[in-house]
Amino acid sequence: MHRRDFLKFTGLASGTLALGGAAAAGYMSGTDKKGNTGWGRAPYAKDQFFNRKPFLVVSPTYEKVSTPQRIQYLDNLFRRNGELGFYIRSLGERGLEKVKEEGISSLPQELKAYYTDHPKAFEEFFLTSESAQQQRANWPEHKNRYLLTDAWSKAHASPLRGRDAFPPQPQGPPEEWDFEGVNPDPLKLKSPKHGAELIKKITHTFGATLVGVTAIKDEWVYQGILRGVGKTNFEKPAHWKNAIVFAIPHEWESFYANPTYGTSYEAYTMLRFIAGKLEAFIREIGFSSRSHVPPNSYDLIIPPLAIDAGLGEQGRHGVVITPELGANTRLAAVSTDMPLDADIPVDLGIMKFCNKCKICAEECPSGAISFDDKPTKVVRGYRRWCTDQDKCFKAWNQVATSSARGCRVCLAVCPYSRKNNWIHTFARELDPRDPTGAIASAMLAMQKQFFDYPGGSQYLPPPDGNNKTYGKAPDWLRTEEWFDF
Amino acid sequence: MFPYSTILQPLFWMSMGVLIALFFMGIKYWLADANIKMNGWKWSVLSGWFFFLALTVAAAFTLMGEGEWAAGKRFLLFFGIVLLLAGSGIWKLLKKA
Ligand code: SF4
Ligand code: SF4
């Protein structure tokens, strides 16, 4: 063979091999577990890698349309259902049937007022109760298949239960509880800027992936109930000045395999540990503190605080979407009187993307997510996306789990939740920099044409669906990989 | 390619560099034998095309690595066809100009 021919064929072979190398490198980048962002994977705040500076805005992207109102505690599904459930149990064995027959007018004053304004929520409560009974009846059929995931979820839930749960529930008014154990001889903080910088670093070392700071607006404080005090109407305590808001993701592979293989408890437990440690740290350096943690130990509503703190924007599914974690963003906060420089909100084009996208609405098994082209509902003075909590909770009570431990399909299918690898990061960086919206449209077209989605009811058990999950469950949650049954 | 190896990872990218250099060395002769005279902009167009081809292959396989096999295949098919069409256009352009 001539030298020239040799070089020609070597060139061709090398080009082909280089393409093979590109395929292999791409494949490995897709499988790389480093793409599973979060849990303080990188030290010293490097997990919060997205440069928010070009996207800072004066006002957050939610739209204020009238005088804001504080959230009444019965507006919270879990508190409302807890209250109604408590009342039903107080009526004895036939309580449920009795309340169903006698209707809203038979309820105690506060519940009556709420359900008179929201009669559909009252109907959904009974539908959900029936679903819950069915879910329990179906469980023996599913329990072998989901043995590992149920055990995994219960293991994560175990630190949340009982009187010893950490951080401890407030006992007594905030003016006392939030100051318990506060260092009586604090040093002088150099400046609020130093305060914010220090507190963020510390929160990252406790395991938070994202941390932001914001001043607490009155409208983000619950009304009608105060932990440690009970039912009461109260003004925002003067020392609830700032909130440190932080986020972590769910474990990535189980999260993709929602609804049946995921659980909320693993993120909840981590958030509670971070919050509890931060609460203790802040008191040690001389300031008051109070943690607000999932599943339901809050006096503040956290998502708007996260938006104010510049962590992200609200998505159509009602959850905060952040550039690092997408919709796989679970939040908690600590309120404090420590002087802290507030962060600035961001506009990453997420709300605009949601106007077009609707994937979560199409995939929601309960029809709880709006298909409107723009947010239409005005809630407590803000026009925003608003999911139907009661419908959503019904789906929790339908999927093949041992109890209502959540669904999270809308979070898993959200295009922003894709892994932190080069293609998705490239898309996330490019889209907010494109004022024309062309990139968003192209990406959305690819999301819809290239990716498979099982479709709404398919996530439910038969006869409505087929127990589908969005992604494939990891082997460590698939019972059949480890046990004979 | 070898995200957890401190030795194989740099070796892999060095080999990729060598392969790409050999590819361009060889392609020079293919172009000469096809009577195509190359200049700066022509080399840029050709390199750009090869870059996008490699990027498409890498992106499709990244999706497959994530477990999104169907999305990876559809991506490769769609952008592969676009790149092949663009490639034949570029070939004609290189010959003509
Ligand atoms: S958690 Fe499930 S049921 Fe609830 S809104 Fe999301 S997709 Fe719908
Ligand atoms: S799935 Fe689409 S519409 Fe829903 S929150 Fe995510 S980006 Fe927005």
Side-chain angles (χ1 to χ4, degrees), chain A residues 269-289:
Chain A
T269 323
M270 298 263 288
L271 286 167
R272 289 178 72 111
F273 279 124
I274 297 167
K277 289 178 196 176
L278 185 61
E279 186 183 85
F281 177 84
I282 293 173
R283 290 183 191 183
E284 288 291 337
I285 59 170
F287 302 95
S288 73
S289 64

Side-chain angles (χ1 to χ4, degrees), chain A residues 3-5 7-34 256 418-419 421-424 446 449-452 470, chain B residues 1-4 12-13 16 18-20 22-30 32-33 50 53-55 57-59 61-72 74-75 78-79:
Chain A
R3 182 178 168 271
R4 187 183 184 84
D5 288 339
L7 283 173
K8 272 172 77 178
F9 285 102
T10 306
L12 211 56
S14 302
T16 314
L17 277 175
L19 288 179
Y27 188 79
M28 291 309 291
S29 147
T31 56
D32 190 353
K33 300 291 180 234
K34 279 190 278 183
Y256 272 132
R418 298 205 179 278
K419 283 188 180 180
N421 59 36
W422 70 279
I423 24 173
H424 303 309
M446 283 195 258
Q449 300 307 319
F450 293 167
F451 289 84
D452 285 331
Y470 173 56
Chain B
M1 169 69 182
F2 301 101
Y4 305 109
F12 171 78
W13 287 110
M16 283 290 276
V18 171
L19 287 174
I20 289 165
L22 286 172
F23 168 69
F24 278 102
M25 261 173 69
I27 204 85
K28 230 171 63 180
Y29 293 106
W30 285 98
D33 288 358
F50 186 74
L53 182 64
L55 209 62
V57 169
F61 277 84
T62 303
L63 292 177
M64 291 181 204
E66 275 176 42
E68 299 282 1
W69 283 87
R74 287 172 199 143
F75 185 96
F78 180 79
F79 287 105

Side-chain angles (χ1 to χ4, degrees), chain A residues 188-473:
Chain A
K188 190 176 171 291
L189 185 68
K190 285 190 174 172
S191 71
K193 186 171 176 285
H194 284 87
E197 208 173 303
L198 169 70
I199 240 39
K200 284 183 192 173
K201 286 192 178 184
I202 294 291
T203 314
H204 281 295
T205 69
F206 290 152
T209 306
L210 314 178
V211 189
V213 170
T214 185
I216 301 171
K217 293 180 189 161
D218 283 5
E219 58 259 41
W220 308 145
V221 180
Y222 269 97
Q223 182 57 293
I225 209 162
L226 178 59
R227 287 178 308 145
V229 175
K231 284 189 189 168
T232 174
N233 280 331
F234 65 102
E235 294 302 313
K236 183 184 94 168
H239 65 280
W240 290 7
K241 291 199 170 91
N242 295 311
I244 302 136
V245 195
F246 47 90
I248 58 155
H250 285 295
E251 191 286 321
W252 221 267
E253 295 187 350
S254 57
F255 166 80
Y256 272 132
N258 273 317
T260 41
Y261 287 93
T263 177
S264 296
Y265 292 118
E266 41 102 20
Y268 288 176
T269 323
M270 298 263 288
L271 286 167
R272 289 178 72 111
F273 279 124
I274 297 167
K277 289 178 196 176
L278 185 61
E279 186 183 85
F281 177 84
I282 293 173
R283 290 183 191 183
E284 288 291 337
I285 59 170
F287 302 95
S288 73
S289 64
R290 183 185 189 87
S291 43
H292 304 266
V293 289
N296 212 11
S297 300
Y298 306 105
D299 301 298
L300 304 175
I301 25 177
I302 313 294
L305 287 168
I307 296 169
D308 289 350
L311 294 185
E313 289 178 73
Q314 193 204 22
R316 179 183 286 271
H317 43 37
V319 171
V320 171
I321 296 176
T322 60
E324 290 90 351
L325 306 174
N328 191 3
T329 299
R330 301 317 293 240
L331 298 162
V334 170
S335 53
T336 181
D337 60 354
M338 182 172 175
L340 302 168
D341 262 3
D343 287 304
I344 299 171
V346 287
D347 181 355
L348 302 162
I350 292 171
M351 288 197 77
K352 284 182 214 112
F353 188 82
C354 284
N355 291 346
K356 299 185 205 164
C357 172
K358 304 185 184 175
I359 290 175
C360 53
E362 285 155 11
E363 290 303 298
C364 172
S366 69
I369 302 175
S370 163
F371 277 92
D372 292 344
D373 289 336
K374 281 193 167 165
T376 47
K377 282 204 172 162
V378 176
V379 185
R380 296 183 290 276
Y382 291 95
R383 193 187 318 278
R384 65 175 185 88
W385 295 116
C386 190
T387 53
D388 185 325
Q389 301 172 27
D390 298 275
K391 279 189 182 169
C392 170
F393 190 54
K394 191 168 146 231
W396 295 23
N397 284 277
Q398 287 177 301
V399 293
T401 47
S402 63
S403 59
R405 67 157 198 258
C407 161
R408 297 165 301 271
V409 162
C410 48
L411 314 186
V413 298
C414 181
Y416 284 100
S417 301
R418 298 205 179 278
K419 283 188 180 180
N420 173 30
N421 59 36
W422 70 279
I423 24 173
H424 303 309
T425 306
F426 186 59
R428 283 182 198 126
E429 292 280 354
L430 213 58
D431 170 44
R433 289 178 168 83
D434 167 28
T436 67
I439 289 171
S441 301
M443 282 193 314
L444 185 57
M446 283 195 258
Q447 289 293 334
K448 294 207 172 184
Q449 300 307 319
F450 293 167
F451 289 84
D452 285 331
Y453 299 95
S457 62
Q458 282 303 305
Y459 301 99
L460 300 174
D464 302 314
N466 220 355
N467 283 333
K468 289 275 184 201
T469 55
Y470 173 56
K472 193 179 174 204

Side-chain angles (χ1 to χ4, degrees), chain B residues 26-54:
Chain B
I27 204 85
K28 230 171 63 180
Y29 293 106
W30 285 98
L31 291 165
D33 288 358
N35 287 326
I36 297 174
K37 286 211 169 62
M38 294 299 279
N39 55 28
W41 72 262
K42 284 183 173 181
W43 276 116
S44 311
V45 170
L46 188 67
S47 313
W49 179 82
F50 186 74
F51 173 74
F52 280 110
L53 182 64

Side-chain angles (χ1 to χ4, degrees), chain A residues 5 15 59 61 89 94 96 126 160 172 222 289 315 386 452 458 465:
Chain A
D5 288 339
S59 323
T61 49
R89 281 193 298 281
R94 283 203 67 255
L96 189 71
F126 294 101
L160 270 62
Y222 269 97
S289 64
C386 190
D452 285 331
Q458 282 303 305

